[in-house]
Amino acid sequence: MELNFILNGKPLTLTEVDEETTLLQLLRDRLGLTGAKRGCDTGVCGACSVLVDGRLAKSCRTPLAQVDGHEVTTIEGLRGPDGDLSALQTAFLEYGAVQCGFCTPGMVIAAEALLRRNPHPTRAEIRRGIAGNICRCTGYQQIVDAIEAAAAQRLAQEGEEDG
Ligand code: FES
Ligand code: FES
């Protein structure tokens, strides 16, 4: 099949794509984007999380037909145009929410999806927002702290821009 979609803000056309391929296989094995991790490969752990049209998706369970004509954002696409880490990524670093490279990209993506649909979540809502992402170090406290701080920072920034 031919596949047309927007990947991290850039339109992309790929030919000779096996339609049985999952989005995770395409990203990692053909496009060399290894930020989304292959954990369980069964839709359970969240390590492979990406955004499809801004909504959280487990790329190991996303058939390419669901991506054709849509917009995909991976962890690589969260950086600013000058390559700087986003405020959310920086908050993960500052609050000690990054403990391993395996769950963290998916966790940041889940947090990004949450903050896009709910810019001012409660701690309980944050916990629900990352419920599909497993951290085996059980460092959830720091992760919730980081997301809460990033939300507050985003709101403050928006207030400055409006004012
Ligand atoms: S690798 Fe996709 S949910 Fe675990
Ligand atoms: S920080 Fe990655 S599994 Fe806990």
Side-chain angles (χ1 to χ4, degrees), residues 79-112:
R79 285 176 169 239
D82 47 7
D84 289 350
L85 294 180
S86 68
L88 176 61
Q89 290 169 305
T90 306
F92 265 68
L93 286 175
E94 283 174 356
Y95 282 79
V98 177
Q99 292 161 75
C100 85
F102 218 80
C103 69
T104 300
M107 204 62 90
V108 173
I109 287 283
E112 178 69 26

Short mmCIF file of all heavy atoms in Angstrom, two decimals, residues 79-112:
data_model
loop_
_atom_site.label_atom_id
_atom_site.label_comp_id
_atom_site.label_asym_id
_atom_site.label_seq_id
_atom_site.Cartn_x
_atom_site.Cartn_y
_atom_site.Cartn_z
N ARG A 79 9.94 18.14 20.64
CA ARG A 79 10.93 19.22 20.80
C ARG A 79 10.53 20.43 19.99
O ARG A 79 9.84 20.31 18.98
CB ARG A 79 12.29 18.74 20.27
CG ARG A 79 12.95 17.77 21.20
CD ARG A 79 14.23 17.26 20.60
NE ARG A 79 14.99 16.55 21.59
CZ ARG A 79 16.23 16.86 21.97
NH1 ARG A 79 16.85 17.86 21.41
NH2 ARG A 79 16.84 16.18 22.90
N GLY A 80 11.01 21.59 20.42
CA GLY A 80 10.75 22.81 19.66
C GLY A 80 11.56 22.80 18.38
O GLY A 80 12.42 21.95 18.19
N PRO A 81 11.28 23.77 17.48
CA PRO A 81 11.95 23.82 16.18
C PRO A 81 13.47 23.96 16.30
O PRO A 81 14.23 23.52 15.45
CB PRO A 81 11.34 25.05 15.48
CG PRO A 81 10.40 25.67 16.45
CD PRO A 81 10.29 24.82 17.67
N ASP A 82 13.94 24.59 17.39
CA ASP A 82 15.38 24.75 17.58
C ASP A 82 15.99 23.57 18.33
O ASP A 82 17.16 23.60 18.72
CB ASP A 82 15.67 26.06 18.32
CG ASP A 82 14.77 26.21 19.54
OD1 ASP A 82 14.05 25.24 19.85
OD2 ASP A 82 14.78 27.28 20.17
N GLY A 83 15.19 22.52 18.54
CA GLY A 83 15.73 21.31 19.17
C GLY A 83 15.68 21.31 20.68
O GLY A 83 16.10 20.35 21.33
N ASP A 84 15.15 22.39 21.26
CA ASP A 84 15.05 22.45 22.72
C ASP A 84 14.00 21.46 23.23
O ASP A 84 13.01 21.19 22.56
CB ASP A 84 14.60 23.85 23.17
CG ASP A 84 15.70 24.86 22.97
OD1 ASP A 84 16.83 24.44 22.67
OD2 ASP A 84 15.41 26.06 23.08
N LEU A 85 14.23 20.96 24.45
CA LEU A 85 13.21 20.12 25.06
C LEU A 85 11.98 20.97 25.36
O LEU A 85 12.09 22.17 25.64
CB LEU A 85 13.73 19.54 26.38
CG LEU A 85 14.89 18.55 26.29
CD1 LEU A 85 15.27 18.08 27.69
CD2 LEU A 85 14.53 17.35 25.41
N SER A 86 10.80 20.33 25.30
CA SER A 86 9.58 21.04 25.65
C SER A 86 9.56 21.27 27.17
O SER A 86 10.31 20.62 27.92
CB SER A 86 8.36 20.23 25.23
OG SER A 86 8.27 19.06 26.03
N ALA A 87 8.68 22.16 27.62
CA ALA A 87 8.56 22.44 29.06
C ALA A 87 8.19 21.16 29.81
O ALA A 87 8.65 20.92 30.93
CB ALA A 87 7.52 23.53 29.29
N LEU A 88 7.37 20.34 29.17
CA LEU A 88 6.97 19.08 29.82
C LEU A 88 8.18 18.16 29.99
O LEU A 88 8.38 17.57 31.06
CB LEU A 88 5.89 18.40 28.95
CG LEU A 88 5.40 17.03 29.41
CD1 LEU A 88 4.76 17.10 30.79
CD2 LEU A 88 4.40 16.47 28.39
N GLN A 89 8.99 18.04 28.96
CA GLN A 89 10.20 17.19 29.05
C GLN A 89 11.15 17.73 30.12
O GLN A 89 11.74 16.97 30.89
CB GLN A 89 10.89 17.11 27.69
CG GLN A 89 10.09 16.30 26.68
CD GLN A 89 10.64 16.44 25.26
OE1 GLN A 89 10.79 17.54 24.73
NE2 GLN A 89 10.96 15.32 24.64
N THR A 90 11.29 19.06 30.15
CA THR A 90 12.18 19.66 31.14
C THR A 90 11.66 19.39 32.55
O THR A 90 12.44 19.10 33.47
CB THR A 90 12.28 21.19 30.89
OG1 THR A 90 12.68 21.38 29.54
CG2 THR A 90 13.28 21.85 31.80
N ALA A 91 10.33 19.46 32.72
CA ALA A 91 9.75 19.18 34.05
C ALA A 91 10.05 17.74 34.47
O ALA A 91 10.35 17.47 35.63
CB ALA A 91 8.25 19.45 34.03
N PHE A 92 9.98 16.80 33.53
CA PHE A 92 10.32 15.41 33.86
C PHE A 92 11.75 15.32 34.39
O PHE A 92 12.03 14.58 35.34
CB PHE A 92 10.15 14.51 32.62
CG PHE A 92 8.82 13.83 32.54
CD1 PHE A 92 7.65 14.55 32.32
CD2 PHE A 92 8.70 12.46 32.70
CE1 PHE A 92 6.42 13.92 32.27
CE2 PHE A 92 7.48 11.81 32.64
CZ PHE A 92 6.32 12.55 32.42
N LEU A 93 12.65 16.07 33.76
CA LEU A 93 14.05 16.05 34.22
C LEU A 93 14.17 16.68 35.60
O LEU A 93 14.78 16.12 36.51
CB LEU A 93 14.94 16.82 33.23
CG LEU A 93 15.23 16.13 31.90
CD1 LEU A 93 16.02 17.07 30.99
CD2 LEU A 93 16.01 14.84 32.12
N GLU A 94 13.53 17.84 35.75
CA GLU A 94 13.68 18.60 37.01
C GLU A 94 13.10 17.86 38.21
O GLU A 94 13.59 17.98 39.32
CB GLU A 94 12.99 19.97 36.88
CG GLU A 94 13.82 20.96 36.08
CD GLU A 94 13.10 22.26 35.83
OE1 GLU A 94 11.92 22.39 36.21
OE2 GLU A 94 13.73 23.15 35.22
N TYR A 95 12.03 17.11 37.98
CA TYR A 95 11.35 16.45 39.11
C TYR A 95 11.80 15.00 39.31
O TYR A 95 11.20 14.26 40.07
CB TYR A 95 9.83 16.53 38.93
CG TYR A 95 9.30 17.89 39.29
CD1 TYR A 95 9.41 18.95 38.40
CD2 TYR A 95 8.75 18.14 40.54
CE1 TYR A 95 8.97 20.22 38.73
CE2 TYR A 95 8.30 19.40 40.89
CZ TYR A 95 8.41 20.44 39.98
OH TYR A 95 7.99 21.69 40.33
N GLY A 96 12.84 14.59 38.61
CA GLY A 96 13.34 13.23 38.79
C GLY A 96 12.37 12.18 38.28
O GLY A 96 12.33 11.05 38.79
N ALA A 97 11.56 12.56 37.28
CA ALA A 97 10.55 11.63 36.76
C ALA A 97 11.12 10.72 35.67
O ALA A 97 10.44 9.82 35.20
CB ALA A 97 9.37 12.43 36.20
N VAL A 98 12.38 10.97 35.29
CA VAL A 98 13.04 10.16 34.28
C VAL A 98 13.94 9.16 34.98
O VAL A 98 14.98 9.54 35.51
CB VAL A 98 13.87 11.04 33.32
CG1 VAL A 98 14.62 10.19 32.32
CG2 VAL A 98 12.99 12.06 32.63
N GLN A 99 13.53 7.94 35.02
CA GLN A 99 14.38 6.94 35.70
C GLN A 99 14.96 5.94 34.71
O GLN A 99 16.02 5.40 34.92
CB GLN A 99 13.57 6.25 36.78
CG GLN A 99 13.25 7.21 37.91
CD GLN A 99 12.11 6.73 38.75
OE1 GLN A 99 12.29 5.83 39.55
NE2 GLN A 99 10.95 7.31 38.57
N CYS A 100 14.25 5.68 33.66
CA CYS A 100 14.83 4.84 32.61
C CYS A 100 14.32 5.32 31.26
O CYS A 100 13.34 6.05 31.19
CB CYS A 100 14.49 3.37 32.81
SG CYS A 100 12.89 2.89 32.11
N GLY A 101 15.02 4.91 30.22
CA GLY A 101 14.66 5.37 28.88
C GLY A 101 13.55 4.55 28.27
O GLY A 101 13.11 4.83 27.16
N PHE A 102 13.09 3.56 29.00
CA PHE A 102 12.16 2.65 28.37
C PHE A 102 10.72 3.12 28.48
O PHE A 102 10.00 3.23 27.50
CB PHE A 102 12.32 1.25 28.96
CG PHE A 102 12.16 0.23 27.89
CD1 PHE A 102 13.20 -0.06 27.03
CD2 PHE A 102 10.94 -0.37 27.68
CE1 PHE A 102 13.03 -0.95 25.98
CE2 PHE A 102 10.75 -1.26 26.65
CZ PHE A 102 11.80 -1.55 25.80
N CYS A 103 10.30 3.46 29.69
CA CYS A 103 8.91 3.89 29.86
C CYS A 103 8.76 5.39 29.66
O CYS A 103 7.66 5.88 29.40
CB CYS A 103 8.41 3.53 31.26
SG CYS A 103 9.21 4.50 32.55
N THR A 104 9.86 6.14 29.80
CA THR A 104 9.75 7.60 29.85
C THR A 104 9.17 8.23 28.58
O THR A 104 8.28 9.08 28.68
CB THR A 104 11.12 8.23 30.20
OG1 THR A 104 11.51 7.73 31.48
CG2 THR A 104 11.03 9.74 30.26
N PRO A 105 9.61 7.84 27.37
CA PRO A 105 9.01 8.49 26.19
C PRO A 105 7.49 8.31 26.15
O PRO A 105 6.76 9.28 25.89
CB PRO A 105 9.69 7.78 25.01
CG PRO A 105 10.98 7.27 25.58
CD PRO A 105 10.68 6.91 27.00
N GLY A 106 7.02 7.11 26.43
CA GLY A 106 5.57 6.87 26.42
C GLY A 106 4.86 7.64 27.51
O GLY A 106 3.75 8.14 27.33
N MET A 107 5.52 7.77 28.65
CA MET A 107 4.94 8.50 29.77
C MET A 107 4.79 9.98 29.40
O MET A 107 3.78 10.61 29.70
CB MET A 107 5.87 8.31 30.97
CG MET A 107 5.27 8.47 32.29
SD MET A 107 3.98 7.31 32.70
CE MET A 107 4.86 5.96 33.44
N VAL A 108 5.81 10.54 28.76
CA VAL A 108 5.76 11.95 28.36
C VAL A 108 4.66 12.15 27.31
O VAL A 108 3.91 13.13 27.35
CB VAL A 108 7.14 12.41 27.81
CG1 VAL A 108 7.05 13.82 27.21
CG2 VAL A 108 8.20 12.38 28.91
N ILE A 109 4.56 11.22 26.39
CA ILE A 109 3.51 11.31 25.36
C ILE A 109 2.13 11.24 26.00
O ILE A 109 1.21 12.00 25.65
CB ILE A 109 3.69 10.18 24.31
CG1 ILE A 109 4.89 10.48 23.41
CG2 ILE A 109 2.42 9.97 23.49
CD1 ILE A 109 4.66 11.53 22.33
N ALA A 110 1.95 10.34 26.97
CA ALA A 110 0.65 10.23 27.65
C ALA A 110 0.33 11.54 28.38
O ALA A 110 -0.81 12.01 28.38
CB ALA A 110 0.67 9.06 28.62
N ALA A 111 1.35 12.13 28.99
CA ALA A 111 1.16 13.40 29.69
C ALA A 111 0.80 14.51 28.70
O ALA A 111 -0.08 15.34 28.97
CB ALA A 111 2.43 13.77 30.46
N GLU A 112 1.45 14.51 27.55
CA GLU A 112 1.16 15.52 26.53
C GLU A 112 -0.30 15.38 26.06
O GLU A 112 -1.02 16.39 25.93
CB GLU A 112 2.13 15.34 25.35
CG GLU A 112 1.92 16.28 24.18
CD GLU A 112 2.28 17.73 24.49
OE1 GLU A 112 3.12 17.95 25.37
OE2 GLU A 112 1.69 18.62 23.86
#
